[in-house]
Amino acid sequence: MTLPSTTKVLVIGYVWPEPRSSAASGHVMQILETFLEQGWDITFSSPAGPGEHKADLSALGIREVPIELNNSSFDTFISALAPDIVLFDQFMMEEQFGWRVEKHCAAALRVLETSDLQSLRHARHQRLKDRLKVNQDQDDFTDLFAPGLREEFELMADTDLAKREIAALYRCDLNLIISPTEIKLLVEQFGLSPELLHWCPLMVDRPGLEPSGYTEREHFLSIGNFRHAPNWDAVLWLKTTIWPLIRAQLPAAQLHVYGAYTPPKASALHNAAQGFHIMNRAEDALQVMSAARVCLAPLRFGAGIKGKLIDAMLCGTPSVTTPVGTEGMHDNHPWPGAVVSTAHQFAEQAVQLYNDQLRWQQAQQWSLELLEQRYQRTTHAAALIERIHACRQLLPQLRKNNFTGSMLRHHTLKSTQYMAQWIEEKKRDK
């Protein structure tokens, strides 16, 4: 098969990218930049309204075309565009538009960008809620971080969200998975073929300048979009349990909590007398991270890999987090900071890192080594393009091999199509 010299790509986004607000949007931007480097012709579409901090895609040479849910205008649009590749950003976009893509450009390679397994994240959130109902202890969450892959599967398998998300993965020709732990879960427990999956973590370049040193920094920092449930839970755990333990050992310590879309309930946590500062959105996340001595990320649930911890590495800022925070991020490489399972351990390790210059400097060095070994942009960008080329050349055979996906498209998408057409007709009647 001879590939055209100019490849047309349509990206259907759940939202318009806001790379300074979330790691998920940052990952989408990294993928778009990788495609641009190939000289590909890119159109980005979304049914969502533009957010406050939306990236200017048109300035990069990417066409921006709003689309509507349950509207046949999309059929006309995609037929005229005739893309060679369609990338769905999050599985809900594949649910909404997958059948239309198949109907009007069946030969296009269908790629799903997951950011994280939402069904895994939601199942873990429910497990935390259930645990807190029966056990109000806010210190030791070792049991929460202990389950193996089979236990995670058992937790997810009966949920509607998992059935929808895994079905979308099967229906696509290639799925970009950010965490190797999630690839293992999908292959070993849900039975997906490795042919359908590609490891595509956050892709970054090692900073050109050496990060600032121990004596040039002060304060603790926590950062994350407040709309993301794991981040909000982490702030609450910090406020109620962990930060008082740190302040008991460091009475003058200050914690700066940054996050996009700060709700009133978060602003209400601000208490300067306790050294707990809600700082709202950081205009430059790397700048505030570079000024902090230690990053705190007490995540009790979540999935994927954590953009805030990649940013910490880029800035040479040691971090204290949980096994959920480091999942899929460092393999056998030492973590550049500390990984703990209890609030008391968290406070102890945070204080030690803050006070011990030699240990802090070792953690900073590990940050830079881990970035180079695991997250090099050029390495992963090349691997992604190579995999996409291979899938396009072998597409007919790949689809034959993926009979489950073909079967799901035949049955599931028919019902989705008829539902969408019914909703469109109902809107016309009003």
Side-chain angles (χ1 to χ4, degrees), residues 52-87:
E52 184 180 349
H53 310 298
K54 171 185 166 296
D56 186 359
L57 299 180
S58 60
L60 300 174
I62 298 172
R63 278 185 301 277
E64 300 181 1
V65 181
I67 52 177
E68 292 185 45
L69 297 173
N70 305 309
N71 194 311
S72 56
S73 61
F74 180 85
D75 304 343
T76 305
F77 160 64
I78 197 169
S79 296
L81 183 64
D84 303 294
I85 300 168
V86 177
L87 186 145

Side-chain angles (χ1 to χ4, degrees), residues 191-203:
L192 272 80
S193 167
E195 261 190 352
L196 294 174
L197 309 174
H198 179 76
W199 178 42
C200 184
L202 295 172
M203 302 179 281

Side-chain angles (χ1 to χ4, degrees), residues 19-224:
R20 294 186 177 182
S21 299
S22 74
S25 281
H27 194 229
V28 170
M29 291 300 296
Q30 291 164 5
I31 293 169
L32 291 175
E33 288 162 5
T34 298
F35 292 170
L36 285 171
E37 289 169 356
Q38 302 301 306
W40 292 355
D41 184 305
I42 305 172
T43 302
F44 194 103
S45 294
S46 177
E52 184 180 349
H53 310 298
K54 171 185 166 296
D56 186 359
L57 299 180
S58 60
L60 300 174
I62 298 172
R63 278 185 301 277
E64 300 181 1
V65 181
I67 52 177
E68 292 185 45
L69 297 173
N70 305 309
N71 194 311
S72 56
S73 61
F74 180 85
D75 304 343
T76 305
F77 160 64
I78 197 169
S79 296
L81 183 64
D84 303 294
I85 300 168
V86 177
L87 186 145
F88 304 100
D89 171 31
Q90 301 195 30
F91 80 91
M92 296 86 78
M93 293 300 93
E94 188 280 334
E95 282 186 329
Q96 288 288 341
F97 296 99
W99 69 270
R100 296 184 187 274
V101 170
E102 181 167 18
K103 183 175 181 180
H104 297 285
C105 51
L109 181 74
R110 292 187 288 266
V111 183
L112 175 59
E113 198 282 312
T114 60
S115 291
D116 67 2
L117 284 181
Q118 294 187 36
S119 51
L120 175 61
R121 169 162 43 89
H122 281 255
R124 286 173 168 174
H125 193 184
Q126 188 60 51
R127 179 166 59 202
L128 172 63
K129 292 177 182 177
D130 293 343
R131 184 252 191 230
L132 292 174
K133 284 180 183 176
V134 299
N135 183 353
Q136 292 298 310
D137 175 30
Q138 290 286 324
D139 178 41
D140 191 348
F141 290 89
T142 305
D143 59 317
L144 211 65
F145 306 131
L149 293 181
R150 186 62 194 178
E151 287 80 5
E152 300 288 31
F153 171 78
E154 295 284 349
L155 192 69
M156 299 165 63
D158 289 334
T159 66
D160 289 344
L161 190 60
K163 291 168 185 174
R164 290 171 55 201
E165 187 169 30
I166 302 303
L169 296 176
Y170 269 112
R171 288 193 295 262
C172 287
D173 303 310
L174 183 65
N175 298 280
L176 309 184
I177 311 296
I178 205 166
S179 166
T181 302
E182 292 178 3
I183 289 179
K184 196 172 181 183
L185 175 65
L186 291 169
V187 172
E188 295 183 4
Q189 302 301 324
F190 286 96
L192 272 80
S193 167
E195 261 190 352
L196 294 174
L197 309 174
H198 179 76
W199 178 42
C200 184
L202 295 172
M203 302 179 281
V204 297
D205 291 312
R206 178 168 171 162
L209 298 175
E210 288 300 311
S212 57
Y214 175 87
T215 58
E216 301 167 71
R217 298 169 180 243
E218 59 180 352
H219 306 321
F220 293 93
L221 171 142
S222 183
I223 192 167

Side-chain angles (χ1 to χ4, degrees), residues 310-332:
I310 294 290
D311 285 349
M313 293 179 213
L314 281 167
C315 298
T317 307
S319 60
V320 184
T321 187
T322 65
V324 166
T326 64
E327 181 179 83
M329 290 198 68
H330 65 120
D331 197 20
N332 295 320

Side-chain angles (χ1 to χ4, degrees), residues 264-420:
K265 64 182 180 180
S267 299
L269 300 179
H270 179 86
N271 190 318
Q274 297 173 354
F276 197 94
H277 304 272
I278 300 296
M279 307 297 289
N280 300 319
R281 177 178 179 268
E283 286 299 319
D284 187 334
L286 296 183
Q287 182 181 44
V288 297
M289 184 71 78
S290 295
R293 188 174 290 179
V294 176
C295 171
L296 305 181
L299 297 160
R300 294 191 287 189
F301 70 97
I305 63 175
K306 313 305 178 289
K308 62 177 69 63
L309 296 177
I310 294 290
D311 285 349
M313 293 179 213
L314 281 167
C315 298
T317 307
S319 60
V320 184
T321 187
T322 65
V324 166
T326 64
E327 181 179 83
M329 290 198 68
H330 65 120
D331 197 20
N332 295 320
H333 192 282
W335 183 255
V339 186
V340 299
S341 298
T342 76
H344 277 81
Q345 290 171 354
F346 202 103
E348 178 185 353
Q349 291 300 314
V351 170
Q352 284 186 17
L353 262 177
Y354 196 87
N355 286 336
D356 188 334
Q357 182 171 355
L358 289 178
R359 183 181 172 194
W360 189 95
Q361 289 170 334
Q362 177 65 83
Q364 183 178 80
Q365 184 58 37
W366 285 342
S367 291
L368 302 178
E369 291 173 2
L370 182 52
L371 282 177
E372 194 163 321
Q373 292 177 16
R374 200 166 176 85
Y375 297 101
Q376 275 287 341
R377 187 188 70 83
T378 51
T379 300
H380 289 291
L384 174 59
I385 296 302
E386 182 180 350
R387 185 70 185 275
I388 287 174
H389 280 319
C391 286
R392 291 184 64 197
Q393 290 174 322
L394 301 172
L395 189 55
Q397 189 59 49
L398 288 176
R399 288 183 174 172
K400 284 182 182 177
N401 294 347
N402 181 22
F403 178 78
T404 300
S406 176
M407 179 175 61
L408 286 169
R409 287 197 303 274
H410 176 76
H411 291 287
T412 309
L413 293 189
K414 289 297 182 186
S415 61
T416 306
Q417 173 183 344
Y418 297 142
M419 176 60 76

